[in-house]
Amino acid sequence: MLRRHLLSLLATSLATPALAQPRREPPPAIDDPRASHFAFGPPGDQWRIFVGLPKVPPPREGYSVVLSLDGGTTFPHLWHHRETRARDAPVILVGISYENANRRWRDLTSRAMAPVAPILFYRAPPADRPTGGREAFLSMIAEELLPELSRRHPLDLRDMTIYGHSLGGLFVLHALFTRPRLFARYVAADPSVWWNAGESQREAAAFAGGVAAAGGTVDPAIQVMIAQAGRPRQNHPHDPTLLVRILSGVPGVEVLYRPYPQEDHGSLMGPSTADALDLHLWR
């Protein structure tokens, strides 16, 4: 279900009443020789990289890749989905985990800025969290981590999906706007579109304008999935539907909007990681 169904999806989701928010238990701990992790980065400032190998040997072009942010929580979900839904898929799972909350905020955000004018429902970021490291983090992924993973495993770097939830979803959108050819698919679950008073919407508009100025289409085409928990709230700083509309007007960007009115922000991680895997496998 791609861009041509977007407006009907939005209309349906707006008419859907909010349901009780279920509590979802996290997937069980992974105890499998195909799942491992390693430290990556300079001493004292490292990431933990989770790697989940498939059961099958790599195809000639190498394994395709699903890379997830907040790997400590997202990687087990993706592992569970792959093992139960696509056991024979030649897909390698990679999760990037951070040492603490401060590191996470630094890696996934631009520099925090106060809005020029007061905004209804706007939530400022915690004052004690460092911000502004996303460019360095994105460069690390593209120029250091992916080459290192390619040295360790046969990978098809033309067939990669990136998944992020919350601040991770915000980072995924920034990666799309600044390095649209790095991944073939971008999945943002409940992205923090409130950040810097709607910065991601301004980035999306600039991205659309840049595409138009550079020839009018993204080539090769890419896919973007945006999942949302709860009911959409138009003109609310936490609502990504305006962002969805902007991206749906960019030729060469196929947009899939997935509303989950029955989920809350935390429980969305389960179904949205399943959706990311299905999108990656073109199911």
Side-chain angles (χ1 to χ4, degrees):
M1 191 181 305
L2 298 173
R3 183 166 48 203
R4 61 183 178 275
H5 297 303
L6 172 65
L7 294 181
S8 62
L9 267 174
L10 286 172
T12 301
S13 64
L14 286 169
T16 304
L19 304 178
Q21 306 295 346
R23 292 186 61 86
R24 292 179 182 266
E25 294 298 323
I30 301 170
D31 182 15
D32 192 291
R34 291 180 290 115
S36 62
H37 61 83
F38 63 93
F40 188 75
D45 196 25
Q46 294 181 316
W47 296 271
R48 177 174 294 185
I49 309 300
F50 294 89
V51 177
L53 297 174
K55 287 188 172 182
V56 297
R60 179 179 303 175
E61 61 273 16
Y63 291 123
S64 65
V65 182
V66 177
L67 184 148
S68 64
L69 308 169
D70 291 306
T73 51
T74 60
F75 180 82
H77 280 286
L78 286 163
W79 175 277
H80 172 75
H81 294 320
R82 190 193 63 186
E83 295 300 289
T84 57
R85 300 160 70 92
R87 293 178 63 86
D88 295 327
V91 179
I92 192 169
L93 306 176
V94 177
I96 306 176
S97 184
Y98 324 99
E99 293 301 317
N100 53 55
N102 283 348
R103 176 65 176 276
R104 178 176 184 266
W105 280 79
R106 187 192 76 184
D107 280 351
L108 300 180
T109 63
S110 59
R111 183 171 62 87
M113 302 175 66
V116 176
I119 298 177
L120 191 63
F121 302 118
Y122 179 74
R123 184 185 68 182
D128 63 337
R129 300 289 169 86
T131 61
R134 70 181 181 187
E135 296 298 343
F137 184 52
L138 183 55
S139 293
M140 182 281 293
I141 293 173
E143 298 161 18
E144 300 176 37
L145 178 59
L146 291 176
E148 174 63 23
L149 290 167
S150 294
R151 284 190 286 270
R152 293 170 178 248
H153 309 285
L155 303 181
D156 182 359
L157 298 181
R158 300 165 302 174
D159 190 5
M160 299 193 297
T161 298
I162 183 171
Y163 169 90
H165 171 266
S166 194
L167 286 178
L170 177 73
F171 179 87
V172 165
L173 293 173
H174 179 69
L176 164 67
F177 301 143
T178 58
R179 301 202 187 197
R181 292 182 176 84
L182 183 57
F183 296 93
R185 291 162 290 274
Y186 296 77
V187 182
D190 256 4
S192 298
V193 295
W194 56 269
W195 181 257
N196 281 344
E199 180 179 86
S200 57
Q201 295 174 4
R202 297 189 294 273
E203 281 193 302
F207 172 70
V211 171
T217 188
V218 176
D219 185 24
I222 55 179
Q223 294 182 301
V224 179
M225 174 185 286
I226 297 179
Q228 181 180 13
R231 289 191 299 176
R233 295 172 288 178
Q234 290 188 352
N235 301 318
H236 192 285
H238 293 261
D239 192 282
T241 51
L242 175 58
L243 184 72
V244 172
R245 292 181 186 275
I246 294 172
L247 291 175
S248 296
V250 179
V253 177
E254 296 288 356
V255 179
L256 174 59
Y257 172 67
R258 295 301 305 271
Y260 281 94
Q262 76 279 12
E263 304 291 351
D264 61 26
H265 184 66
S267 69
L268 180 65
M269 188 177 289
S272 63
T273 46
D275 285 341
L277 181 62
D278 286 349
L279 179 68
H280 181 81
L281 297 173
W282 295 78
R283 291 169 54 174

